[in-house]
Amino acid sequence: MKIEPVAIFRSPISGKFGIPRQAGLAPELQGTISFIEPFDSPDALRGLEGFDYLWLIWGFSMNAQSQEFKATVRPPRLGGNERIGVFASRSPFRPNGLGLSSVRISQIDFAKGEVHVLGADLADGTPIYDVKPYIEYADSHPGVRSGFVDSRSWEPLEVVMPDNIAALFSEADTAALRSILAQDPRPQYHDDPERIYGLLFKDMDIRFKVDAETLTVVSVEERK
């Protein structure tokens, strides 16, 4: 079966580094589903205004997909060292390179064929292959088991961002950036308090370091 994108995702995060590891972990993060012809018709979006959440089926376009099937992966939640089966994970390294995310609708622009959403875990330019409404009675299963996630707590970091750096962004973008950084974008096997990391957000290179449970933004540079 051959599938083609119906939309392209637009996000302030332009690289793999810094993307939230799951949808909803950075609820303030804004993004846009930009439908492409012929799927940008207002008729295709008719009725979507009655829903609060969407399912996105998308492609891990930034991964070089290996032709060799790998049965196990190392999830960040397990520290990046323990291996589990690929189908017991949400790893981006999958046989078909497809992702599934639930995002909140914030605004629909029928004329432009765009849906603005919050909390997505997609990078800028990600191809979207399908969009479906989230239905609570069928899609929500509270109280169920979640495998290794149940036994591995994940506490957000404290984010220290100087006022002069926060002033470079809007209030909404600052809140989104704090949410992203609080999830600790580093590879989980890294633990050097002096090492400086960087992520691209709104065409700015955000430089930071992490010491114990505190992440400190040290500088911001315009991307060249």
Side-chain angles (χ1 to χ4, degrees):
M1 178 178 68
K2 182 180 180 180
I3 59 175
E4 298 291 342
V6 300
I8 301 297
F9 195 78
R10 296 304 174 194
S11 168
I13 304 176
S14 53
K16 288 194 297 184
F17 195 79
I19 300 173
R21 292 191 173 97
Q22 300 292 338
L25 292 182
E28 301 90 352
L29 181 60
Q30 302 178 45
T32 301
I33 303 165
S34 182
F35 287 88
I36 58 181
E37 292 184 354
F39 312 108
D40 57 350
S41 166
D43 287 338
L45 303 180
R46 185 190 304 169
L48 201 57
E49 68 275 8
F51 296 89
D52 285 330
Y53 282 84
L54 290 174
W55 286 112
L56 304 182
I57 301 173
W58 50 280
F60 289 102
S61 56
M62 292 189 175
N63 289 346
Q65 293 296 321
S66 171
Q67 298 300 314
E68 179 184 358
F69 170 64
K70 295 183 179 180
T72 62
V73 294
R74 297 181 293 181
R77 192 67 170 261
L78 294 177
N81 294 314
E82 295 184 43
R83 286 190 172 273
I84 63 169
V86 64
F87 298 124
S89 80
R90 296 192 177 190
S91 167
F93 299 100
R94 318 192 65 78
N96 289 309
L98 293 176
L100 177 67
S101 299
S102 175
V103 298
R104 186 177 184 90
I105 299 173
S106 63
Q107 181 184 353
I108 302 173
D109 190 328
F110 291 93
K112 292 184 177 180
E114 295 180 343
V115 179
H116 301 274
V117 299
L118 298 170
D121 54 343
L122 286 69
D124 188 61
T126 297
I128 297 176
Y129 295 108
D130 205 354
V131 173
K132 298 183 179 183
Y134 177 99
I135 301 174
E136 184 178 21
Y137 87 88
D139 297 340
S140 178
H141 305 283
V144 301
R145 297 183 301 155
S146 298
F148 65 88
V149 178
D150 290 338
S151 60
R152 299 298 179 99
S153 62
W154 186 286
E155 295 296 330
L157 299 175
E158 177 186 359
V159 176
V160 176
M161 186 183 303
D163 291 342
N164 65 312
I165 291 179
L168 298 174
F169 303 96
S170 69
E171 184 176 342
D173 284 339
T174 299
L177 181 57
R178 285 184 176 275
S179 293
I180 294 167
L181 295 172
Q183 296 301 317
D184 194 353
R186 301 173 303 162
Q188 291 308 294
Y189 50 84
H190 284 200
D191 190 23
D192 181 354
E194 298 304 318
R195 181 166 180 171
I196 303 297
Y197 298 87
L199 68 84
L200 296 176
F201 180 84
K202 303 284 285 190
D203 290 326
M204 303 289 278
D205 188 7
I206 314 298
R207 312 292 290 180
F208 66 91
K209 61 182 180 179
V210 179
D211 187 358
E213 306 305 317
T214 301
L215 182 149
T216 302
V217 180
V218 296
S219 66
V220 174
E221 299 178 4
E222 188 172 357
R223 183 183 183 185
K224 298 179 180 180

